[in-house]
Amino acid sequence: MLIIVAPFICWATMVLSAYGITYIELLLIQGPFRMLNMINFLVFRVTRGVLFSLETCMASPDSKLIGLRKNQLNTRLRDMKRDYISFLYGFPALPADEVRDDLSTNQAAVFRDPNLAHIFFRSTNCLRKDQSSCYPQGHYFYDVAHNGLDAMATRFIEETQLLMADDPRDINISNPRLEFLWQFGLNDVFDGMIMADKAFRAGVQQSFVQLRTIHTVVFVLSLFGAILLWLALVRPTLKRAGKESLQIAEMLSQLPPQMDAEAIIAQVVLGEAEDEVAAASTKKAGPRQSSSTGMNGSVPGGSMYNKRSMDGIPGIRMPGGGGAGGGN
């Protein structure tokens, strides 16, 4: 019995373990998913910051319109700072008056992914997608463009704040801060955020790759186990059952026609009472009387035939009170 049940117990344990690991991993990945959404927000917050900076400068010389654009730019800058700090250091790093939203998470991205930490704080390379357009050494944007994405994003935020602090008379299309935000923001900061997004996305996708590998292994082992179970257990069992069926059929073919084999088997297997077996045997024996000769040469239905034909079949007691394999 244990041999039959053991393969199914092993298979169930393996499947439950795989799904348990999957459940735990999916719970742990909720935080990184939120951070992934947040860095996607940071990508377009850079472009929105550049857009509203441009609209603020293009509002010149209308001081009233400039003030309106400054308020809009201040809102976009506040959102960018909030998402940027929350992404890097977790929601607890924000001021106490900040309200948590659906993207907020207590996890810090810089402590989760070393590649992401390298891009933000340790990289000294140009982060532009088109490396041929990087600033040459000696350019006044070169130093800030080669000190990691954090220095670039911080400088972008500072230049935006300084633009809003400028006198309305100095805010125009030729403002040098707009030049920095336009050239540096739409190229270096934007491409750096895209690079960080890809690096973080690769880390999140790696978790799904691991889960897919686990389920693939479980499927292959299940298929292999099913084949092995068929070859080692089911096939030999069916073969043995076929042989036993032939033996039983051969044995039943040697019994007299008036004997109720079903009732006798029910007595042995199900433990039915002898009187019930006797009554069923007597009831079925009448219609099945024949003139064929039995194994001992006696007429079927005779007392001598019944007694001698049942000798040697252990555990069967004849309905008339006689015994087989040992008398009364």
Side-chain angles (χ1 to χ4, degrees):
M1 185 56 133
L2 183 61
I3 297 178
I4 299 176
V5 177
F8 295 97
I9 295 178
C10 294
W11 176 78
T13 303
M14 179 177 61
V15 172
L16 290 176
S17 300
Y19 277 92
I21 294 174
T22 302
Y23 179 77
I24 296 174
E25 186 68 22
L26 291 178
L27 287 180
L28 296 177
I29 211 172
Q30 291 182 4
F33 254 119
R34 293 180 178 179
M35 289 188 287
L36 182 60
N37 288 334
M38 191 168 294
I39 195 173
N40 290 332
F41 271 77
L42 285 173
V43 171
F44 76 76
R45 293 208 188 280
V46 172
T47 57
R48 289 172 71 90
V50 174
L51 172 63
F52 280 91
S53 298
L54 178 61
E55 289 186 347
T56 301
C57 293
M58 292 181 64
S60 178
D62 190 342
S63 300
K64 184 178 180 180
L65 184 58
I66 289 176
L68 177 62
R69 297 305 185 190
K70 279 187 176 182
N71 291 333
Q72 294 175 343
L73 179 59
N74 183 56
T75 302
R76 303 299 177 269
L77 181 63
R78 185 178 67 250
D79 292 341
M80 180 179 177
K81 289 173 61 177
R82 181 181 185 277
D83 290 347
Y84 183 74
I85 295 175
S86 179
F87 172 73
L88 286 183
Y89 309 109
F91 187 81
L94 293 173
D97 59 345
E98 289 288 348
V99 180
R100 184 182 294 269
D101 58 16
D102 294 338
L103 296 178
S104 301
T105 175
N106 293 329
Q107 300 184 20
V110 292
F111 302 122
R112 178 178 176 85
D113 192 339
N115 293 329
L116 202 64
H118 176 79
I119 293 174
F120 273 92
F121 300 104
R122 303 188 185 94
S123 177
T124 56
N125 299 323
C126 176
L127 300 182
R128 286 193 177 190
K129 182 179 180 180
D130 183 9
Q131 292 290 311
S132 62
S133 63
C134 292
Y135 299 114
Q137 192 170 2
H139 193 278
Y140 51 93
F141 291 159
Y142 178 84
D143 290 337
V144 68
H146 290 76
N147 280 290
L149 183 56
D150 180 66
M152 296 162 57
T154 302
R155 177 69 181 274
F156 180 86
I157 293 173
E158 290 176 351
E159 290 293 333
T160 306
Q161 291 173 332
L162 291 173
L163 177 63
M164 291 188 298
D166 283 344
D167 189 273
R169 293 172 297 180
D170 298 328
I171 296 179
N172 51 60
I173 199 66
S174 60
N175 190 297
R177 305 194 193 285
L178 178 62
E179 179 186 2
F180 176 86
L181 295 175
W182 180 267
Q183 294 186 10
F184 195 80
L186 287 183
N187 294 285
D188 297 83
V189 180
F190 180 80
D191 289 350
M193 289 293 180
I194 292 294
M195 183 180 296
D197 176 77
K198 291 181 179 179
F200 193 78
R201 188 185 302 272
V204 174
Q205 289 177 342
Q206 184 63 30
S207 300
F208 287 98
V209 171
Q210 294 175 355
L211 293 179
R212 183 178 63 185
T213 302
I214 291 175
H215 284 269
T216 302
V217 171
V218 170
F219 174 75
V220 173
L221 291 179
S222 299
L223 185 61
F224 177 77
I227 297 175
L228 186 62
L229 182 66
W230 170 263
L231 295 176
L233 186 61
V234 178
R235 189 167 176 266
T237 302
L238 293 178
K239 187 176 181 180
R240 180 179 176 182
K243 291 181 179 179
E244 291 180 352
S245 299
L246 293 177
Q247 294 174 355
I248 292 174
E250 182 180 356
M251 182 189 69
L252 292 177
S253 66
Q254 298 176 4
L255 295 176
Q258 78 276 11
M259 180 176 293
D260 188 2
E262 295 180 3
I264 297 175
I265 294 175
Q267 177 190 359
V268 176
V269 178
L270 303 179
E272 293 185 356
E274 291 187 22
D275 53 352
E276 295 179 1
V277 176
S281 179
T282 304
K283 181 178 180 180
K284 292 184 178 181
R288 292 191 297 182
Q289 295 290 337
S290 65
S291 58
S292 58
T293 304
M295 290 185 295
N296 60 351
S298 302
V299 178
S303 59
M304 182 178 180
Y305 182 91
N306 288 337
K307 181 178 184 307
R308 295 183 60 188
S309 61
M310 296 306 298
D311 289 343
I313 302 180
I316 299 179
R317 299 178 60 85
M318 290 304 297
N328 291 333

